[in-house]
Amino acid sequence: MVEAVAVSTTNSRRGERQRLEDAIFRGATRFFAIVVLLLLAAIMVSLFIGAMPAFHAFGFAFLWDQSWNPVKDLFGGAPAIYGTLITSVIAMLIGVPVALGVAIFLTELCPPLLRRPIGVLIELLAAIPSIIYGIWGLFILAPFLQETVQPFLHDTLGNIPLFGVLFSGPPLGLGVLTAGFILAVMVLPFIAAVTRDVFLTVPAILRESAYGVGCTTSEVVRDIVLPYTRVGIVGGVMLGLGRALGETMAVTFVIGNAHKISLSLLAPGTTISATLANEFTEAVGGLYTSALIELGFILFVITFLVLAAAKLLLLRLDQRAAK
Amino acid sequence: MSRYNRRRATNVIVLTLSLAATGLGLLVLFLILGSLLANGVPALRIDLFTQATPAPGNQGGLANAIYGSVVMTAVATLIGTPIGILSGTYLAEYGRGTALAPAVRFINDILLSAPSIVIGLFIYQVMVVRMGHFSAWAGSIALAILVIPVVVRTSEDMLNLVPAGLREAAFALGTPQWKVVVMVTYRAAIQGMMTGVMLAVARIAGETAPLLFTALNNQFASTDMDAPMANLPVVIFQFAMSPYADWQRLAWGGALLITFTILVLNIFARMLASWSGATK
């Protein structure tokens, strides 16, 4: 009897200790999960605080003001914001069709044996660091575009009234178009991977029914696969767009760094991230630094919105798949 | 042309275009790797690994930059991995039914794709300004912030792959939950989680933007974590943009070194993942 009581108290003491250890471990994992959450908030808040002096000085006009004069302490974000948007648009115009082509090839056309190796090679494009794209763009791609593609665009599309202004001016090699090209290559693997994955979610029975009534492969893709996966594709494209908007080093190498908005795509420009990379450590004076931080804040808000939209679309798709 | 022939022709055109798109992607990959080899291999001399970055026109190598990259990547991985694994554990083991887990998952996926230069700005604001100078610590912390989301994501995925039966068997023996997680689930998922860490290392090894405003650069060999430290990506940036041919040659050498390290890490991580049974 006495022994039994002794055993049960050691047992309950051990149980207590185990409950305590459990609570500590659980608390630790929960704590670090909250750290991840707070990290994003901390980034937002610290950039916002850093941007306050510039925001007070220039107000909302910062968004459309084109001046960038460190000597007179006059700053406007328009050229950088415009450059960020236009290079990303070019990247999407080139990158999305190619990525869709890759996804169609991998899911519909590729022999099963080659599917994995080719998929991995395309994904390796995403593993190459940004700076390598930059050095390659500067020394290899830019001279190539300058000698071949850009004179061709200038001589053909450049002659079309109104539209031609996009391709006017001397072919410099470095500029908005080259940056867009590089970004297109960089977002290709991200969009292709998501698109391929959503293509594979199409139920085999839909695909086979369409083939059964005599559809060609291209008709199956157009009428079955694309409509079924529309939401997922848009999600993948937004994910790629989020990457393109914030891409720094590759763009910094090839954009030419000019704080002005030119209609011509062959002209040099700048982006938010390129401006930061080039000028931040050299910025003297509180207002200059603050204007740069405000640019960073704007970039973070834009990419946050794009990435959140992409994530929500893809989540909706997961919920549909779970049903 | 009959309707049938037209449909067949469309089909051939679409499929040819998709083949061409894939060819284009692979072509760019091989062009990049090819030009890295062509320009980088001549720079791969023993000096590259033994001598510090030179002044223009002088002999030198990248030893201090290689050292800086290795140290900062290692420190960042050591800081970021435990945080990432623990929050991944929360999502996989404790998160079910909570409101916190989906929120963390959502924010983590955004951090995964957030512009890395903004992370640099953040660390500049909270560390460099406070401390009054650039330092290797600041660079390491900035890189650690990039490690966390990658590790959170892969740890959660890999822990979810562990069969429930394994956990239930351990619970049935009266094992407390933390012991089940640490001694059963972690052991079952260790290979997959290592894959995540390797992918994170591959990601930060070439990151330049977050180091520009944190670790900065250093012309001289320095082992002081509290001072600016040279690192391969920033040195490549500075040397490639310079007008000096010998600096540009060193930049290509560094670029080759970094890319092949990262590609090897990536391929090895994928092999590890497919051995451990987790495809993707």
Side-chain angles (χ1 to χ4, degrees):
Chain A
M1 191 66 193
V2 177
E3 267 173 42
V5 169
V7 168
S8 85
T9 46
T10 47
N11 269 355
S12 77
R13 212 173 289 149
R14 184 185 292 166
E16 246 168 59
R17 209 188 64 208
Q18 287 180 350
R19 260 193 296 281
L20 184 69
E21 287 166 348
D22 250 353
I24 291 173
F25 187 71
R26 190 195 149 89
T29 64
R30 192 151 177 271
F31 172 76
F32 285 112
I34 294 172
V35 164
V36 172
L37 212 59
L38 291 181
L39 206 53
L40 189 103
I43 294 171
M44 279 277 190
V45 170
S46 87
L47 291 184
F48 186 74
I49 293 172
M52 280 315 274
F55 190 75
H56 278 305
F58 308 113
F60 282 107
F62 188 79
L63 294 175
W64 54 83
D65 191 355
Q66 286 196 42
S67 54
W68 191 266
N69 192 334
V71 180
K72 291 185 182 164
D73 256 354
L74 287 176
F75 300 100
I81 297 171
Y82 169 81
T84 300
L85 297 178
I86 190 76
T87 49
S88 298
V89 167
I90 297 172
M92 290 297 124
L93 287 178
I94 303 170
V96 172
V98 177
L100 281 178
V102 171
I104 292 172
F105 175 80
L106 286 175
T107 53
E108 310 290 333
L109 198 60
C110 186
L113 207 67
L114 288 178
R115 222 169 254 182
R116 221 177 115 68
I118 293 182
V120 168
L121 283 177
I122 294 286
E123 280 169 29
L124 282 186
L125 276 175
I128 296 178
S130 171
I131 186 142
I132 305 302
Y133 281 101
I135 192 170
W136 183 73
L138 179 68
F139 290 113
I140 314 282
L141 182 68
F144 170 76
L145 289 179
Q146 183 179 18
E147 280 158 28
T148 56
V149 178
Q150 291 189 347
F152 172 76
L153 289 174
H154 182 265
D155 295 341
T156 51
L157 297 177
N159 294 326
I160 304 169
L162 290 178
F163 181 71
V165 71
L166 286 177
F167 299 101
S168 61
L172 299 169
L174 300 180
V176 174
L177 188 68
T178 311
F181 266 141
I182 291 267
L183 285 178
V185 179
M186 298 184 74
V187 298
L188 167 68
F190 291 101
I191 304 178
V194 175
T195 319
R196 181 198 55 194
D197 291 348
V198 296
F199 276 9
L200 291 175
T201 64
V202 177
I205 194 161
L206 282 182
R207 221 181 275 241
E208 284 160 14
S209 312
Y211 280 121
V213 297
C215 288
T216 61
T217 306
S218 74
E219 286 162 350
V220 172
V221 169
R222 191 190 62 198
D223 297 329
I224 308 291
V225 175
L226 288 182
Y228 188 87
T229 56
R230 204 172 41 218
V231 178
I233 294 172
V234 175
V237 169
M238 302 278 267
L239 207 64
L241 181 61
R243 291 266 172 180
L245 288 166
E247 186 45 61
T248 308
M249 299 320 294
V251 174
T252 308
F253 271 96
V254 298
I255 191 129
N257 305 312
H259 270 286
K260 60 176 201 290
I261 298 180
S262 325
L263 280 175
S264 172
L265 299 181
L266 304 184
T270 190
T271 67
I272 293 178
S273 46
T275 306
L276 287 171
N278 275 316
E279 300 181 25
F280 194 79
T281 43
E282 283 153 27
V284 278
L287 202 57
Y288 193 1
T289 307
S290 177
L292 288 168
I293 293 178
E294 183 171 1
L295 278 180
F297 179 69
I298 293 169
L299 173 67
F300 195 57
V301 171
I302 298 174
T303 49
F304 179 84
L305 294 177
V306 170
L307 292 170
K311 190 67 198 139
L312 287 174
L313 285 172
L314 291 172
L315 269 180
R316 222 170 77 188
L317 203 71
D318 284 348
Q319 279 159 3
R320 191 178 72 181
K323 266 178 202 159
Chain B
M1 212 192 322
S2 75
R3 195 182 166 84
Y4 177 65
N5 282 336
R6 203 170 60 227
R7 287 176 54 207
R8 277 184 41 168
T10 320
N11 191 40
V12 169
I13 292 171
V14 168
L15 294 184
T16 313
L17 284 177
S18 81
L19 180 67
T22 311
L24 189 70
L26 297 180
L27 178 74
V28 172
L29 178 70
F30 290 125
L31 279 178
I32 292 176
L33 297 183
S35 63
L36 276 175
L37 284 173
N39 293 290
V41 169
L44 283 186
R45 291 196 221 125
I46 192 75
D47 292 358
L48 197 76
F49 302 97
T50 55
Q51 294 194 15
T53 42
N58 290 5
Q59 282 291 316
L62 297 169
N64 54 335
I66 295 172
Y67 171 84
S69 274
V70 170
V71 167
M72 280 194 276
T73 305
V75 172
T77 312
L78 287 178
I79 298 172
T81 305
I83 300 178
I85 287 184
L86 282 175
S87 36
T89 307
Y90 178 79
L91 295 179
E93 305 285 335
Y94 298 103
R96 206 158 298 131
T98 61
L100 179 62
V104 171
R105 212 171 278 135
F106 186 81
I107 295 301
N108 189 64
D109 278 1
I110 287 181
L111 281 176
L112 200 60
S113 306
S116 55
I117 192 155
V118 172
I119 310 288
L121 273 185
F122 168 62
I123 295 298
Y124 175 84
Q125 285 279 95
V126 298
M127 281 185 75
V128 178
V129 172
R130 293 277 151 74
M131 293 161 64
H133 56 89
F134 299 99
S135 72
W137 281 121
S140 303
I141 304 279
L143 292 180
I145 293 181
L146 294 168
V147 169
I148 293 171
V150 182
V151 177
V152 171
R153 184 65 190 271
T154 45
S155 316
E156 189 201 353
D157 289 351
M158 293 304 154
L159 290 173
N160 278 332
L161 287 178
V162 176
L166 219 54
R167 292 191 185 99
E168 283 159 10
F171 279 129
L173 295 172
T175 324
Q177 191 170 7
W178 75 272
K179 273 194 176 160
V180 175
V181 172
V182 174
M183 301 190 154
V184 179
T185 328
Y186 278 177
R187 278 198 194 171
I190 186 79
Q191 272 185 322
M193 284 164 36
M194 288 307 297
T195 312
V197 175
M198 286 172 70
L199 288 177
V201 172
R203 160 130 200 239
I204 60 169
E207 274 290 354
T208 319
L211 295 175
L212 287 172
F213 324 138
T214 53
L216 199 67
N217 196 354
N218 197 333
Q219 280 298 100
F220 307 102
S222 158
T223 54
D224 184 1
M225 288 293 283
D226 204 29
M229 191 181 268
N231 54 89
L232 270 179
V234 175
V235 168
I236 294 173
F237 177 49
Q238 188 197 348
F239 281 16
M241 293 292 249
S242 78
Y244 313 112
D246 47 346
W247 271 19
Q248 289 180 1
R249 208 188 61 241
L250 280 175
W252 277 110
L256 178 70
L257 211 60
I258 240 176
T259 310
F260 278 85
T261 311
I262 287 170
L263 290 186
V264 166
L265 270 173
N266 253 283
I267 292 168
F268 193 66
R270 274 161 211 280
M271 278 160 58
L272 199 67
S274 59
W275 285 336
S276 69
T279 47
K280 210 181 169 178

